[in-house]
Amino acid sequence: MAGHLGWGVLNEEGWRKGPWTGEEDRLLIEYVRLHGEGRWNSVARLAGLKRNGKSCRLRWVNYLRPDLKRGQITPHEETIILELHARWGNRWSTIARSLPGRTDNEIKNYWRTHFKKKTKMSPETSNKSRTHHLKRQQFQEQQQQIQQQQLLQLNQLDMKKIMSLLDENYQVKLPFSPQIWPETTTLLCPNEDQHELLYTNGSVPDDHEACNDEQDSLWDGLWNLDDVHGNYGVPATCASGKATIHNLVAPFC
DNA sequence: AAAGATCGCAACCGCCACGGA
DNA sequence: TTCCGTGGCGGTTGCGATCTT
């Protein structure tokens, strides 16, 4: 960034642009501590920062706020993002309000890098991306799986009961017939990857066949979707399927 | 080992809504 | 009622890091 023309230097109005330095961060934090959030255009005058108000607000909101959560988006948060995006569309700030510690910018970036581009990808490219993504998340998922296994052990008896109910219900209610998928359906196909998403545009993705043919692994995948709050289900706009599963497991959550 | 491709994300931009003068 | 300052929002950019060939 520093090499970009005008990046990291003063612009024609005298404001600094580009990456924030540690000293600038310190000044901004001190300003907020003394004056609170707001009045961002006063920061330059009161804190001695050569940054405009917008830049200061953005830096504080997206990076310096003490209540921000660090680290990768968890599968549970991912589920929430998908569900809320299906409901609200690109209203990132609205979505962010349901994810304490996450910013609209963070959610927006996450969506764009993990989901949106998949709609345009070829299957081959998508597989590469999937591999890349999985490698990056491998460590985190290992930790989460340990936690999940502990929960699974605790609830093993109840789960077997749920599994049998779901298996019966699956045949009747889940809308896996491609004819009734709406365009741009976001469908979870958990048998291959516990939270891999497939996007369809009125057609059936190749991978989808595995969902129909391998119910056992499909349901295994659903259990892997378990999170610390004990929700099991399909975070998809495939609405009737989602409702069926959530209604079924709700009494056990 | 090196070059090119791709990804992730911090930061910027432009537009809009709102409130106060 | 109008104007202006301020803040919020969504879209976009561009660089460093990482991966692939």
Side-chain angles (χ1 to χ4, degrees):
Chain A
M1 290 186 188
H4 185 272
L5 189 65
W7 207 245
V9 299
L10 301 185
N11 67 5
E12 60 273 10
E13 293 170 338
W15 300 118
R16 243 183 68 81
K17 295 176 69 175
W20 281 64
T21 65
E23 176 62 13
E24 286 177 316
D25 283 346
R26 193 190 62 75
L27 288 171
L28 182 54
I29 290 168
E30 183 65 11
Y31 171 85
V32 174
R33 191 181 66 80
L34 291 173
H35 301 93
E37 295 184 40
R39 311 284 300 171
W40 296 109
N41 280 344
S42 305
V43 175
R45 180 166 42 86
L46 298 176
L49 272 169
K50 292 189 182 323
R51 297 276 184 172
N52 65 26
K54 275 193 164 188
S55 183
C56 291
R57 176 190 159 273
L58 209 64
R59 182 65 178 174
W60 175 258
V61 166
N62 287 333
Y63 201 81
L64 297 178
R65 253 170 48 202
D67 57 331
L68 288 181
K69 194 187 282 184
R70 294 291 170 199
Q72 289 190 309
I73 301 286
T74 66
H76 178 58
E77 288 173 320
E78 183 179 281
T79 300
I80 293 173
I81 291 170
L82 286 166
E83 290 185 345
L84 294 182
H85 188 269
R87 186 184 305 169
W88 297 107
N90 293 358
R91 294 166 68 175
W92 306 114
S93 59
T94 304
I95 295 172
R97 288 187 199 108
S98 298
L99 292 164
R102 301 294 187 185
T103 68
D104 54 353
N105 206 38
E106 192 176 10
I107 294 168
K108 178 172 58 181
N109 282 333
Y110 185 79
W111 175 266
R112 291 181 65 83
T113 55
H114 290 80
F115 300 126
K116 188 176 181 179
K117 63 180 60 175
K118 287 188 179 181
T119 61
K120 297 175 184 173
M121 277 186 179
S122 66
E124 189 179 341
T125 312
S126 183
N127 284 336
K128 283 182 183 175
S129 173
R130 179 189 305 153
T131 304
H132 178 69
H133 181 59
L134 286 176
K135 278 181 181 175
R136 283 173 174 272
Q137 288 201 330
Q138 193 171 29
F139 176 77
Q140 185 193 11
E141 286 177 1
Q142 281 173 350
Q143 299 302 311
Q144 286 165 349
Q145 281 170 8
I146 291 169
Q147 193 177 26
Q148 287 168 8
Q149 281 167 7
Q150 290 169 344
L151 274 169
L152 286 170
Q153 284 168 3
L154 284 173
N155 298 308
Q156 201 170 20
L157 290 176
D158 275 351
M159 284 186 177
K160 284 182 178 174
K161 193 161 46 179
I162 301 167
M163 286 281 277
S164 64
L165 288 170
L166 283 169
D167 259 340
E168 292 168 11
N169 203 272
Y170 173 84
Q171 297 289 348
V172 181
K173 292 188 179 178
L174 289 184
F176 279 146
S177 166
Q179 286 83 357
I180 57 175
W181 289 1
E183 283 201 352
T184 336
T185 295
T186 305
L187 179 72
L188 192 77
C189 183
N191 61 300
E192 186 174 344
D193 177 330
Q194 65 184 37
H195 44 87
E196 178 66 22
L197 291 162
L198 304 174
Y199 288 81
T200 71
N201 290 295
S203 62
V204 188
D206 292 338
D207 299 6
H208 172 66
E209 293 305 320
C211 294
N212 285 331
D213 295 338
E214 299 173 25
Q215 282 188 30
D216 286 346
S217 55
L218 167 67
W219 294 118
D220 284 344
L222 282 175
W223 299 126
N224 285 339
L225 275 174
D226 176 25
D227 58 61
V228 293
H229 301 290
N231 297 315
Y232 315 100
V234 181
T237 53
C238 204
S240 57
K242 182 177 89 175
T244 299
I245 290 174
H246 276 278
N247 290 344
L248 243 179
V249 303
F252 301 92
C253 293

